[in-house]
Each structure stands twice: as C-alpha cells, then as structure tokens.
C-alpha cells in the first residue's frame, strides 16, 4: 500500500512538473508571438509632392517616436539641444546636425495619425510613446504648412510593395520584360527604395543587377524608354550605363523634339531629361504644347484620340518644366481629365472608346499624379463625384494579398500594382532630379555575404 502511495505521489509530481513545463512553454510561445506582433508605420513628407512610408517591427510593448524613426532604415541626423533630442535632417533633407535649426521657417514637424486626422505631439520624439499599429508622421516645412494627406492610402502601399517583391525573378532580378522592370524602378523609386537593395531574397540578384545587363538595350530603343529609365534610376539611386543613350541624345535643339509626332514619347523623354538635373529648353515645352488637341487632352501619337494617360503625363512633364498650373494648357488638360471621370470616381483610358469606358487602376493612378502635380487634392472637389473620388477607387481595387487589379474581377495585376503605389503615395513624375552617376565598368552582381 505504501509503495502504491509513493508511486502515486511520484506520478502526480511528474504530471505536475510536466504541466508546469507545458504551461511555461505556452506562456513563452504566446509571449514571443506577442513580442513579434508589434508593428508601426513611419510616414515622411519631404515636400507637398513627395512622401514615403516605412513599416517597422519591434518586440518591446512600446518605443519612442525617435526610436521608430531610427528603425525605419532612413538616414537621420539627430542633435542634442537644450530642449532634448531634435531631428535635423532625414535623407539629407533639412539642416546639418551642428546647425539643426538653420532654416528660420522650416523644420521637421512631428505628429501621429489618430485614425481620422493628423495630431501634433505635445512632447518631443524621444518622449513620445509608439505602440502596436501606430502611424507616425514627419513633415518638413513650416508649422502651418501643407499637412500630410490621410495616412490610410499611404500605409496601404506597404502591402502592395511586399506583394510586388514576390513577383521579382530570382534568376535575374527583373520582372519578365524590360518595360515591366522599368515600371518597378519607378514604383520603388517613388518610395525612395534602392534598386540595389530590391531583390527576391538575400542570395538573389537585385533589380539594379538586372539593369546593369539591360540598360543600353532599353534606353537605346527610343526616347520614351530612355526617359522612363532615367526617372526610375534617379529615384531608385541607380547608375547610368556608359553605352546607354540618355534622353538628351534624342533631342533636336532646332525643333525642340525628343520624339516626333508622339505626345507620350515627348513627355516621357522630357521627364527623363529633367531627372539629369538640367533645365528644359523652351522649344521642347512648346513642341509638347503644340500637340494638344481641341478638347484639351493629348493623344499618344498623331492620329490617335485624346486619352487620360497621355494627358496626365503631358501635364506632369509641363508642370515639372515650370509651366504655371494656372496656364490655359494645364487648366484645359485638367478639364479634359475631369470630363473623363466616371461615376465610380475612377478614370478610363479613352473616355470615347468604342471598346469600353470603364475605369481602370492604371489610368486612375496616372490621373491622380497629374492632379497632385497641379497642386490639387484628388480626394476633394472638383474630383469628388457621387460621394467618391479617385483615391477611394484605387483603394477599392486592392486585394487581400496587397496587390491591385486592373479592373474589378480581373485579379492581381503587376502593372496595376506598380502604378497604384506612386499615386497613393501622392508623388508625381519626375520624383527627383540631379546628377545621375555613370555605372562602373566591370561591375559584377553583388550577392550579400550573409547569403547561404
């Protein structure tokens, strides 16, 4: 009897110990999962027509806003001041650390999205509290300057970018064709992401590796291709191949023509030429203006009819060259776009097409970029129709996996996803301008040292 009691006690003790171990394992697992689940978004607005977003993940229950910004991967300059730590510059925009408030009017404003509107923090970024699902906002400008647009469309681009990365070829770093790979350059460049870092996984070639083997073939095939590539490479911090023709190589200074009889090619070439940081000659602007149609729109090539895509590109190209948004050609172009808007808030390619005038993601995205370039808000009048707008149309085309469909019911589409992202960020072409360095000869694809 005594032996049975001893065995029973040992059994119960073992069972109790096992239950403790199981309970500890469950607690530890749940705690680990909880720690891994914290995430937040950091939105940075460099100017009224350029903003980017980064998603961060953290294991602490909360972190400071300054820590969140540092975790974003962006280059940040921070100074110790009498009032505490201050952000002087982000990605080179702002003031040097040793003169953090060098601009008497502009500085890095800091706030958070409360789900409905942007709110200003009453404490410094090193004292603010960032918890799971928070959305942080940084804006360079005056205290009462143009605010960051609503956060939701901007944060939705993160899932779209994640999906787009899954479509990248692990073999060469591209997207099947040079045209699609150029669109991806534009997409990630709009969010200030580097082509050299954009890869399917650590051991695979990057998008920049792809272009080092394809730049000359694409750029040398036409002025529009060269222009699109220049916009993308400048924005995605790439380099220009020495044997690739630049948009300026296609330019005729006597006529102002980059591409004869094609508004679309002329517009893309101009956008690309501007990306090299040079002023646009007046004849080039006048030639694009001369191609405008009686209805205020532009057609892709002579003999076509006005369409929303070419019109949106032409508007962006002209505004980027300094054309006033109040000029007749811009106002008429915007009026043409407005006349093409459908009741669902979106835009078709050709509002008079006999093959269908349904709204599509690609066209709506380009129109949004033109609207923003003109200094207007695509979510307010005159772009609100039947209580909806172009931004809402785009958001309604996003699928659960983060991708966008071209039209409702068509499923995930790479081009639609590529073009929706810059529009939802609110960034018109060209994204940036300046020196575009020449690629070093003898370059070999870089595989990360930590790759298996």
């Amino acid at each position: 009897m005594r032996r049975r009691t001893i065995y029973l006690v040992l059994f119960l003790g073992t069972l109790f110990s096992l239950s403790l171990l199981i309970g500890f394992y469950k607690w530890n697992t749940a705690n680990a999962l909880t720690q891994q689940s914290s995430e937040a978004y950091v939105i940075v607005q460099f100017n009224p027509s350029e903003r980017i977003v980064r998603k961060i993940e953290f294991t602490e229950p909360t972190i400071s806003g300054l820590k969140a910004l540092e975790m974003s991967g962006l280059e940040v300059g921070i100074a110790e001041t009498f009032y505490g730590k201050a952000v002087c510059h982000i990605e080179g925009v702002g003031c040097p650390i040793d003169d953090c408030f060098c601009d008497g009017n502009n500085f890095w404003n800091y706030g958070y999205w409360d789900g409905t509107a942007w709110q200003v923090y009453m404490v410094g970024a090193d004292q603010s509290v960032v918890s799971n699902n928070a959305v942080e906002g940084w804006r360079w400008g005056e205290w009462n300057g143009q605010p960051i647009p609503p956060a939701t469309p901007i944060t939705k681009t993160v899932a779209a970018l994640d999906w787009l990365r899954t479509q990248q070829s692990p073999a060469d770093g591209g997207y099947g064709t040079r045209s699609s790979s150029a669109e991806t350059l534009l997409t990630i460049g709009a969010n200030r992401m580097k082509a050299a870092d954009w890869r399917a996984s650590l051991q695979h070639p990057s998008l920049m590796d792809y272009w080092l083997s394809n730049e000359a073939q694409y750029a040398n095939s036409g002025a529009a291709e060269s222009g699109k590539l220049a916009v993308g490479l400048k924005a995605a911090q790439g380099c220009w191949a020495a044997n690739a023709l630049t948009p300026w190589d296609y330019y005729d200074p006597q006529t102002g023509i980059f591409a004869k009889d094609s508004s679309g090619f002329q517009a893309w070439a101009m956008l690309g030429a501007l990306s090299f940081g040079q002023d646009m000659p007046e004849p080039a602007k006048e030639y694009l203006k001369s191609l405008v149609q009686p209805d205020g729109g532009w057609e892709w090539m002579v003999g076509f009819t006005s369409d929303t895509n070419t019109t949106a590109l032409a508007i962006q190209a002209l505004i980027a060259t300094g054309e006033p948004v109040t000029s007749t050609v811009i106002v008429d172009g915007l009026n043409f776009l407005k006349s093409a808007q459908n009741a669902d808030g979106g835009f078709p390619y050709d509002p008079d097409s006999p093959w269908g005038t349904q709204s599509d993601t690609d066209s709506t995205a380009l129109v949004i970029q033109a609207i923003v370039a003109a200094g207007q808000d695509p979510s307010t009048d005159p772009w609100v129709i039947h209580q909806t707008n172009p931004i809402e149309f785009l958001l309604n085309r996003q699928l659960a996996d983060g991708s966008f469909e071209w039209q409702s019911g068509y499923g995930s589409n790479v081009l639609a996803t590529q073009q929706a992202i810059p529009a939802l960020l609110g960034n018109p072409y060209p994204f940036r301008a300046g020196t575009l360095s020449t690629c070093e000869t003898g370059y070999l694809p870089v595989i990360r040292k930590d790759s298996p």
Side-chain angles (χ1 to χ4, degrees):
M1 185 69 179
R2 185 177 298 171
R3 184 177 296 176
R4 288 183 180 179
T5 302
I6 293 173
Y7 286 162
L8 181 60
V9 170
L10 290 173
F11 173 76
L12 291 175
T14 302
L15 188 63
F16 178 73
S17 299
L18 183 60
S19 66
L20 284 177
L21 287 172
I22 293 174
F24 178 78
Y25 173 79
K26 288 183 176 180
W27 176 85
N28 192 55
T29 303
N31 188 54
L33 289 174
T34 300
Q35 289 181 330
Q36 292 174 1
S37 66
S38 294
E39 61 183 37
Y41 296 90
V42 177
I43 296 174
V44 179
Q45 179 166 292
F46 298 98
N47 57 65
S49 61
E50 188 195 357
R51 56 201 58 83
I52 63 175
V53 61
R54 296 290 187 270
K55 185 174 79 170
I56 63 169
E57 296 181 356
F58 52 97
T59 57
E60 302 91 334
T62 62
I63 58 176
S64 72
L66 191 61
K67 178 66 173 177
L69 179 61
E70 291 176 315
M71 292 177 67
S72 70
L74 300 172
E75 189 275 319
V76 181
I78 300 170
E80 294 282 355
T81 72
F82 176 79
Y83 303 100
K85 293 184 178 181
V87 172
C88 307
H89 61 255
I90 303 175
E91 292 288 290
V93 176
C95 295
I97 294 176
D98 59 359
D99 191 10
C100 197
F101 301 103
C102 65
D103 190 322
N105 297 317
N106 299 299
F107 62 96
W108 279 106
N109 296 264
Y110 173 51
Y112 66 95
W113 179 254
D114 68 1
T116 303
W118 288 103
Q119 304 294 341
V120 177
Y121 274 112
M122 294 294 103
V123 295
D126 58 339
Q127 299 295 319
S128 62
V129 177
V130 177
S131 57
N132 190 33
N133 294 322
V135 180
E136 298 279 283
W138 292 86
R139 177 180 62 82
W140 175 255
E142 298 179 348
W143 171 260
N144 60 347
Q146 186 168 334
I148 303 173
T152 301
I154 300 173
T155 58
K156 290 288 187 180
T157 64
V158 172
L161 284 161
D162 288 344
W163 180 86
L164 188 61
R165 194 187 293 272
T166 68
Q167 306 303 299
Q168 187 176 17
S169 168
D172 62 10
Y175 279 78
T177 66
R178 296 186 185 109
S179 177
S180 184
S181 300
E183 290 289 345
T184 304
L185 269 179
L186 296 170
T187 301
I188 67 171
N191 200 37
R192 287 206 180 204
M193 303 175 92
K194 297 179 181 179
D197 294 335
W198 188 262
R199 60 184 75 230
S201 63
L202 290 176
Q203 71 269 28
H204 292 123
S206 70
L207 184 59
M208 193 63 234
D209 293 327
Y210 171 88
W211 279 112
L212 287 167
S213 301
N214 288 274
E215 276 189 40
Q217 296 93 320
Y218 188 68
N220 296 352
S221 62
E225 290 84 353
S226 180
K228 182 179 287 189
L229 186 60
V231 174
L233 285 174
K234 178 59 186 176
Q237 301 179 50
C239 58
W240 195 262
N243 60 340
L245 295 176
T246 73
W248 290 110
D249 291 322
Y250 292 93
Y251 182 63
D252 181 352
Q254 301 301 317
T255 62
I257 296 175
F258 284 94
K260 186 174 175 59
D261 296 336
S262 175
S263 302
F265 283 31
Q266 180 79 2
W268 265 123
M270 289 171 62
L271 289 165
L274 289 169
S275 295
F276 279 87
Q278 298 175 0
D279 293 334
M280 187 59 55
E282 198 64 29
K285 296 187 282 184
E286 292 303 318
Y287 181 68
L288 183 56
K289 290 182 189 180
S290 73
L291 298 175
V292 71
Q293 300 300 294
D295 57 10
W298 279 265
E299 55 186 353
W300 184 252
M301 298 183 73
V302 171
F304 290 42
T305 57
S306 297
D307 67 80
T308 59
N309 291 225
T310 310
T311 301
L313 282 173
I315 288 174
Q316 291 175 77
L318 288 173
I319 291 176
T321 64
E323 183 72 19
V325 297
T326 55
S327 71
T328 300
V329 71
I330 299 299
V331 172
D332 288 350
L334 291 170
N335 286 338
F336 168 79
L337 293 177
K338 178 58 185 176
S339 70
Q341 188 175 18
N342 285 324
D344 58 11
F347 296 83
Y349 177 82
D350 181 353
D352 296 318
S353 173
W355 295 283
T357 59
Q358 288 182 299
S359 301
D360 67 80
T361 297
D362 307 26
S363 301
T364 303
L366 282 169
V367 171
I368 288 173
Q369 289 178 278
I371 293 171
V372 174
Q376 299 183 22
D377 183 348
S379 65
T380 62
D381 288 333
W383 305 103
V384 175
I385 183 170
H386 297 291
Q387 298 183 328
T388 189
N389 61 67
I391 298 293
E392 290 185 4
F393 174 85
L394 280 194
L395 293 178
N396 288 334
R397 300 284 80 74
Q398 189 170 27
L399 303 177
D401 62 3
S403 67
F404 285 78
E405 53 186 351
W406 174 62
Q407 288 181 336
S408 181
Y410 278 78
S412 298
N413 183 278
V414 172
L415 181 59
T417 305
Q418 291 164 332
Q419 296 194 329
I421 291 169
L424 290 177
L425 289 171
N427 298 344
Y429 299 129
F431 304 124
R432 277 172 294 285
T435 303
L436 192 55
S437 61
T438 302
C439 301
E440 296 180 8
T441 58
Y443 177 94
L444 294 175
V446 175
I447 305 299
R448 301 283 182 86
K449 291 181 180 180
D450 53 353
S451 62

